[in-house]
Amino acid sequence: MNKKFLSAILFGALMVSSTGTFVSCKDYDDDIDNINKELTDIKSKLSDLESKVTTGGAYVTKIESVEGGLKVSVSDGTSYNLTIAGTPAGSTVVIDKTTGEISIDGTPTGFFATTGTTPQGESTAPYVKDGFWYFYDDATKAFVKSEYKASGNAWAVQKGDSVVLHIPNEAGVMQEITLPTSSSALTALNVVTPSNWISGKNIAWSKAGADVTWAGKKGNVTAGQLLIGQLGSETATVAPASYDLGAQTLTLVDIDGKTAPVTVTATAAEGDYVTDRAASPSGKWNLAIAMTDEVTADNIATAFTKKVNGVDKNVKYALAVNGTVMTGYEYVIDTQTVNESKTNTAYNKANIGLASVNVALGTSTLSLNAATAAQAYDSYLTFEGANKTLAEAKGITVDGMNITVPATAAATSGLSVTVNILDITGKIAKKDIILTIAGASVSETETVAPVSIKISTVNSFSVDLGTIFTNLDANIAQYAEADKTIVTTADGNFFALTSTTPTDELYTVAKYTAIAFKKADGSAATIAARNATKAVITLNYIDSKYTTAAKDLANIYGTFNLTLTLKDKQGNELKKVIVPVTVSKPEFDDYYTANQYAGWNEGVLSSVIDNSTQDTPAFTMPTNLYTINKKADGTGMTDAQPGYTYTYKKADASEVKNVDAITFNDVVKNGFLKTTDYKVKANREVVTVNALTGVSNAAADNTISVSKEFTMKLAPAFNKAKLVYYTNGVAGTVAAVNADGIIAALTGDGTANKPKNGLALQYGDEEIAVSTTAIPVSESDDHKLGGYKVTTGSAATGAVVVEFAKSAESAGGSVNLESGNTGVKIADLNAGQGGELVVTFTDYAGIKTQATIEYKK
């Protein structure tokens, strides 16, 4: 939690306070910690709340202003206090469904809301800025500042069947959370960038040249009648997934609010075929349009255009649900010009095809493939010749493009259906196409409990199937083929895709070889035995690809609906299970654990400078700083220690940020290390995700890294040395100076008969006397302290040079280390005088360290 955001919270609290004075001399560290914890708590609550409404079917029943924020009540009886202690209550804004009037905390404002979005695609919902509410003015097409002050640091805007929470995230940044306020509320509508309604070559149409007798649903055609090619469908995803888009009124509107002369129909997207079920468990829908009677042969070329500087330009439309604009203005209905329509030719029956030949038991709708539909005015199915006899024997019937297959006709083979087409030129064509009949009825799609995973910390995850597979219909269990089982995702945004080429807009996540069904005891289960209670899905990190419309690595994280599908041997779908999977970024601690023996002290690392080279101090991070965590199979989470970068203050107080090495010229002044605290960032690339950017090479790769910051305290190699003075075995902090001005050198070995007396240099558990015998002028391997050779001479040979002096304020004259075992002499010191003895250690790299002890005569 940063202090900047804390200041914003405190200022917000003061801004709405009735008092005008405050005291700002408090240390806010405790407040920062507490608010940080509360924001983390809010994040957890919001995550749970969003999960309930997006996959659990719950909805918000009440929003209340409470001290510190908001209270949200949910239809399942639970409630969530989204609050920060010490801040005012949040504001609640309600837009009346009938009148559109805006009320703030129960008080009508006299302002009326404009529903939907601005011409720029922005929401027209009220918002807070500079402590005041801003409302959208439909007349000026801009937001205006009101006289209404905002209260607190959180607010909620309730409009129609949804409410938008405005509340800080764990980083203190305001976020928007949209939640439904009824079981049928639409909170989000995401539509794939429209393309099919344009067909890439303009929507085909012609005038019938003669009367045509036609048995299809659209009936006979008269000469001169407008014939329009069937348009493809767009894909839309709704939130919550339980929202029934097919039951709503859908329209296309331009920025002036004018409705396009088309009907828009939503049907549940269920894979290879569309069933008679209305709901879409995955939240995915197909949107189809058809032109109304307003569109005629005389105006179709310009019905969806407007004049711009005398030139016809295509109008851009937004998709509205029940009158509320839910998308940007991005739809274009591009029809052929009059001259283009005259170039259309009769259909080549060899090109006739269906989008899929798979047929489910029950009633299904067969669709023409895109190329066929673009030139087809109408179509219907028939059985002819021997196929008519076979269909009658099996009880299989057709009506228009609908086909009904009874359960007794399961797995019927060799049946061809005749596709009859009236094309836009008024010509009739037909073609026989062999169908694949399902071996069992398709059961209802079900949704399992959500699963959470972190990228690359595990390569498999377990899905709790509950009783879904133990209660399978016997026919499904009998006909299901293990090697046809597959896990897919609809939008291709799941990070681990084994197939980046969609089949009917589905992307493969895992094939049957990577799906293991298990019994409750963990042993292998089979679909036929109906004993599977969980499915273990293994992800292929190495060969998987990731793609997204934005080509943004950040889109990897979030909640995705995977679909586990059972099929029969012909590839017909028998059962679908929706698996909500939340993918999150791995953390540093998932890969590494601090090595307790590497110099850590409550999260702070203590390290020393390498003094092995004369006048060239250096630092190398310990090789065993972290231990690498293990996966379930015993292998390491990664194969190496992380890399490190350093941020520190130079001796001149300027800052060096995120560098690969410490430059000691920056931090050493006059031989002394002036900077001891360093901010270190440990970083490691842990997985490569191949983002499809239109090319297939190394440049298309993106890496995911984990990192962690910690404080390192750096010291010279000899920094642990200090001066100690003993009196009859007791270490003291003041050294005694005798009548000759000498502080005696250490004698005795600490035994009962030889107690320690005198001045010593101490390094850890080692001690030597302060004398020329122990600290010679010429270094020697026989004279070491803490593993370092000590001398009063030169450091040229790698020893630590020891020099004695007194502080400037101390009494006495010169300081000299006397010969032999005498000790240190302080000249011209009178009785009763004292001071501070300073010993300076200069290591081989030229870094100085000092130790002191008081003295008195």
Side-chain angles (χ1 to χ4, degrees), residues 354-430:
L354 294 172
S356 173
V357 297
N358 291 333
V359 181
L361 302 187
T363 299
S364 303
T365 300
L366 300 186
S367 301
L368 300 174
N369 61 25
T372 306
Q375 295 291 107
Y377 165 69
D378 195 14
S379 62
Y380 66 93
L381 306 173
T382 57
F383 290 116
E384 299 179 6
N387 290 294
K388 181 177 181 181
T389 301
L390 177 58
E392 288 179 355
K394 295 293 185 176
I396 301 173
T397 61
V398 290
D399 179 21
M401 293 298 291
N402 294 329
I403 182 170
T404 301
V405 181
T408 53
T412 296
S413 61
L415 178 64
S416 290
V417 69
T418 300
V419 181
N420 302 270
I421 291 179
L422 176 61
D423 68 29
I424 58 174
T425 69
K427 304 300 182 183
I428 296 175
K430 58 175 60 181

Side-chain angles (χ1 to χ4, degrees), residues 457-459 628-638:
T457 56
V458 293
N459 66 347
I628 299 173
N629 298 338
K630 302 292 185 182
K631 296 179 182 178
D633 61 6
T635 61
M637 291 296 301
T638 184

Side-chain angles (χ1 to χ4, degrees), residues 47-84:
S47 177
D48 186 48
L49 177 57
E50 287 186 278
S51 177
K52 283 186 178 182
V53 301
T54 56
T55 60
Y59 54 91
V60 174
T61 58
K62 189 177 183 181
I63 300 285
E64 300 172 81
S65 298
V66 295
E67 190 67 24
L70 301 168
K71 178 181 179 181
V72 181
S73 299
V74 187
S75 58
D76 64 358
T78 60
S79 62
Y80 298 83
N81 281 335
L82 308 175
T83 59
I84 300 173

Side-chain angles (χ1 to χ4, degrees), residues 162-513:
S162 64
V163 61
V164 181
L165 303 182
H166 298 257
I167 201 161
N169 62 16
E170 71 277 12
V173 179
M174 293 303 293
Q175 61 181 327
E176 295 183 6
I177 307 294
T178 302
L179 304 170
T181 55
S182 72
S183 58
S184 60
L186 176 64
T187 60
L189 175 64
N190 297 315
V191 183
V192 173
T193 302
S195 60
N196 290 332
W197 292 349
I198 302 173
S199 300
K201 58 180 181 180
N202 306 335
I203 296 172
W205 62 276
S206 294
K207 294 181 182 180
D211 293 345
V212 180
T213 301
W214 177 245
K217 294 290 185 179
K218 293 184 179 180
N220 296 335
V221 171
T222 59
Q225 181 177 329
L226 174 63
L227 305 178
I228 306 172
Q230 298 177 23
L231 305 182
S233 62
E234 298 297 342
T235 302
T237 304
V238 298
S242 58
Y243 184 80
D244 188 358
L245 191 63
Q248 316 308 316
T249 300
L250 307 180
T251 54
L252 295 179
V253 296
D254 63 19
I255 61 175
D256 297 321
K258 183 179 178 182
T259 302
V262 297
T263 59
V264 183
T265 305
T267 54
E270 290 292 328
D272 291 341
Y273 49 82
V274 178
T275 69
D276 55 0
R277 295 194 296 273
S280 174
S282 65
K284 186 179 177 184
W285 296 80
N286 292 325
L287 304 178
I289 67 168
M291 297 180 189
T292 67
D293 293 339
E294 296 178 49
V295 180
T296 67
D298 296 326
N299 67 12
I300 186 171
T302 58
F304 305 97
T305 66
K306 67 178 179 179
K307 295 285 186 183
V308 178
N309 296 325
V311 179
D312 287 326
K313 297 289 186 179
N314 288 318
V315 174
K316 291 187 176 181
Y317 297 98
L319 182 63
V321 180
N322 298 326
T324 300
V325 173
M326 297 297 296
T327 71
Y329 293 85
E330 53 190 4
Y331 290 95
V332 172
I333 302 174
D334 191 8
T335 60
Q336 288 180 331
T337 65
V338 173
N339 288 335
E340 288 172 335
S341 72
K342 294 177 180 179
T343 64
N344 295 322
T345 59
Y347 222 104
N348 181 348
K349 72 175 185 178
N351 296 330
I352 295 174
L354 294 172
S356 173
V357 297
N358 291 333
V359 181
L361 302 187
T363 299
S364 303
T365 300
L366 300 186
S367 301
L368 300 174
N369 61 25
T372 306
Q375 295 291 107
Y377 165 69
D378 195 14
S379 62
Y380 66 93
L381 306 173
T382 57
F383 290 116
E384 299 179 6
N387 290 294
K388 181 177 181 181
T389 301
L390 177 58
E392 288 179 355
K394 295 293 185 176
I396 301 173
T397 61
V398 290
D399 179 21
M401 293 298 291
N402 294 329
I403 182 170
T404 301
V405 181
T408 53
T412 296
S413 61
L415 178 64
S416 290
V417 69
T418 300
V419 181
N420 302 270
I421 291 179
L422 176 61
D423 68 29
I424 58 174
T425 69
K427 304 300 182 183
I428 296 175
K430 58 175 60 181
K431 183 179 181 181
D432 293 339
I433 296 176
I434 297 176
L435 301 176
T436 300
I437 308 298
S441 297
V442 179
S443 62
E444 293 290 332
T445 300
E446 299 184 61
T447 301
V448 298
V451 178
S452 295
I453 64 173
K454 289 183 178 181
I455 290 180
S456 82
T457 56
V458 293
N459 66 347
S460 64
F461 60 93
S462 181
V463 178
D464 184 0
L465 298 173
T467 60
I468 293 176
F469 278 32
T470 57
N471 290 338
L472 271 180
D473 179 88
N475 286 323
I476 291 180
Q478 174 186 357
Y479 283 103
E481 290 282 325
D483 60 0
K484 296 289 185 179
T485 307
I486 195 169
V487 175
T488 55
T489 181
D491 56 14
N493 277 354
F494 195 69
F495 76 96
L497 299 176
T498 60
S499 172
T500 57
T501 303
T503 301
D504 294 318
E505 298 180 349
L506 300 176
Y507 298 75
T508 304
V509 173
K511 296 182 178 179
Y512 71 96
T513 53

